[in-house]
């Protein structure tokens, strides 16, 4: 209705304003400390400390309200600007690059947030970065390229049809052949990555990794692996259109890489190297399932609304994550013994890993029945 350019610009501004509400005037103290200037009695005022709780909540809500505009628009951005053999990769970069922010928070936020002054500096840093990004968005973000990048996009623009109401789009999607199976794969991916990210400290502790910086590095590596995996596998899907084969392969590998996160062989003891490698491997194969199936959903529902497709997937994925994370927390306290009387084979596995494996295997069985025409790809070829 309002166009991609206008929405992204307003969302970036909303995010920056929310970040400043959270930061308050703490940046003045940060600058004076950085320059080595005596702050004096004035700077000791609470005005230059943490903001009030209502203001902090308001700022957080503003930042949160801006996120759907970034998370739900990558397929539309790809459709506007990229050819059919570039979209999965571009969507993977745009959709998964928030993982770089999470990785940065693992490495920087954890260290800076240990003290009150550090926390103030951290909030100020976020506000400054958001302001720079918002300014860059206003200066450089464009709505459409001079020439449509593909035949299907040109055809859709020439028809000039307005997108249907969101409710109508949702009805059409769930009555599109194969959409529910793609929807399930997306939900599986986002729930697994959210569970691992939420309980990264507990997962690392199982492998004997307890130092804060080591946990932060492992968490950061997991998030970076998600981005790299999306770029590599997204590029492969762009060239081959092998959405189903890649998704099924990623689900199988996800099961394999999940097992070491909660399995301990008593004869070998804790294996931190294997744990970290499995964590990175899990991020590499599980994270890309989201952008690949975002593009697949757009492909089979063509000429549907790309933003509505991703909105449905994000709503479903985050709602399912909100429901399953408490279950994973309780399941993580279950320590199931395997062959306890056999000294060589005795081991134990945590309940949260069994839960993740179960969800992944169920998704594999359900998604294996996917058989829907790639409508957008066919339109682009003709």
């Amino acid at each position: 209705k309002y166009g991609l350019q206008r929405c992204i610009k307003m969302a970036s501004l909303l995010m920056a304003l929310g970040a400043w509400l959270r930061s308050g005037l703490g940046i003045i103290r940060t600058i004076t400390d950085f320059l080595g200037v005596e702050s004096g009695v004035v700077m000791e005022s609470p005005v230059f400390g943490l903001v009030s709780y209502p203001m902090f909540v308001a700022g957080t809500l503003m930042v949160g309200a801006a996120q759907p505009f970034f998370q739900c628009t990558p397929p539309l951005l790809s459709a506007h600007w990229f050819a059919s053999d570039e979209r999965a990769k571009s969507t993977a970069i745009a959709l998964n690059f928030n993982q770089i922010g999470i990785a940065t928070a693992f490495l920087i936020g954890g260290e800076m947030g240990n003290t009150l002054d550090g926390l103030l500096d951290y909030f100020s840093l976020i506000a400054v970065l958001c302001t720079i990004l918002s300014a860059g968005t206003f200066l450089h973000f464009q709505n459409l390229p001079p020439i449509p990048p593909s035949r299907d996009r040109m055809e859709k623009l020439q028809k000039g049809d307005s997108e249907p109401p969101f409710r109508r789009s949702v009805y059409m999607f769930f009555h599109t052949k194969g959409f529910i199976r793609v929807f399930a794969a997306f939900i599986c991916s986002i729930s697994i990555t959210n569970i691992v990210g939420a309980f990264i400290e507990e997962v690392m502790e199982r492998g004997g990794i307890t130092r804060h910086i080591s946990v932060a590095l492992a968490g950061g590596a997991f998030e970076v692996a998600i981005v790299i995996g999306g770029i590599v596998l997204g590029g492969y899907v762009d060239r081959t259109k092998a959405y189903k084969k890649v998704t099924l392969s990623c689900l199988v590998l996800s099961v394999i890489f999940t097992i070491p996160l909660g399995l301990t062989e008593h004869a070998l003891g804790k294996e931190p190297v294997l744990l970290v490698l499995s964590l990175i491997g899990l991020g590499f194969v599980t994270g890309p399932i989201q952008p690949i199936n975002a593009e697949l959903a757009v492909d089979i529902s063509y000429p549907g609304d790309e933003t509505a497709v991703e909105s449905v997937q994000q709503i479903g994925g985050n709602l399912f994550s909100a429901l399953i994370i408490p279950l994973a927390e309780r399941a993580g306290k279950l320590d199931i013994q395997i062959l306890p009387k056999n000294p060589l084979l005795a081991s134990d596995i945590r309940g949260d890993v069994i839960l993740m494996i179960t969800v992944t295997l169920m998704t594999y069985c359900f998604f294996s029945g996917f058989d829907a025409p790639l409508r957008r790809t066919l339109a682009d070829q003709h």
Side-chain angles (χ1 to χ4, degrees), residues 243-254 285 289 364:
Y243 293 102
K244 182 177 180 179
K245 183 178 75 172
V246 172
T247 298
L248 291 175
S249 299
C250 286
L251 289 171
V252 171
L253 291 172
S254 294
V285 299
I289 295 175
Y364 178 91

Side-chain angles (χ1 to χ4, degrees), residues 224-349:
V224 171
I226 291 176
V227 178
I228 296 175
I231 294 173
V232 174
L233 298 179
Y236 176 78
V237 170
D238 279 330
R239 296 190 301 271
T240 64
K241 301 301 178 185
Y243 293 102
K244 182 177 180 179
K245 183 178 75 172
V246 172
T247 298
L248 291 175
S249 299
C250 286
L251 289 171
V252 171
L253 291 172
S254 294
V255 172
I256 295 173
F257 286 125
T258 299
I259 293 174
L261 303 187
L263 178 66
T264 301
E265 297 177 1
H266 297 170
L268 298 177
K270 296 181 178 180
E271 303 171 78
V273 175
L274 176 61
L275 180 63
V276 172
L277 291 177
S278 297
L279 182 70
I280 295 173
L282 181 64
F284 187 89
V285 299
T286 305
I289 295 175
Q290 293 176 54
I292 288 172
N293 281 272
E295 281 299 305
L296 178 56
V298 170
D299 207 324
I300 64 175
S301 62
Y302 179 83
D305 183 355
E306 296 90 348
T307 302
V309 169
E310 185 58 18
S311 297
V312 170
Q313 290 185 320
Q314 289 287 344
I315 291 170
N318 286 293
L319 178 60
F320 185 79
S321 295
L323 295 174
I324 199 172
I325 283 179
L327 294 178
E329 183 179 17
R330 295 187 64 180
K333 298 176 182 178
L334 298 177
D335 195 3
I336 301 172
Q337 300 296 317
I338 303 174
L339 301 174
K341 297 182 180 180
N342 189 320
L344 293 178
L345 301 178
S347 57
D348 64 86
I349 189 168

Side-chain angles (χ1 to χ4, degrees), residues 11 13-15 17-19 21 57-67:
L13 178 62
L14 181 65
M15 182 173 67
L17 292 175
L21 276 182
V57 171
T60 302
L61 290 174
M62 291 172 66
V63 172
Q67 300 314 301

Side-chain angles (χ1 to χ4, degrees), residues 68-88:
F69 293 95
F70 309 130
Q71 289 290 299
C72 297
T73 53
L76 180 61
L77 178 70
S78 296
H80 279 179
W81 285 90
F82 295 92
S84 60
D85 60 349
E86 301 171 320
R87 289 173 181 154

Side-chain angles (χ1 to χ4, degrees), residues 352-375:
D352 55 348
V353 167
I354 294 178
L355 177 63
M356 289 190 286
I357 291 174
T358 301
V359 170
T360 306
L361 290 176
M362 290 175 63
T363 303
Y364 178 91
C365 294
F366 186 58
F367 186 83
S368 61
F370 174 82
D371 183 22
L374 304 180
R375 296 178 179 176

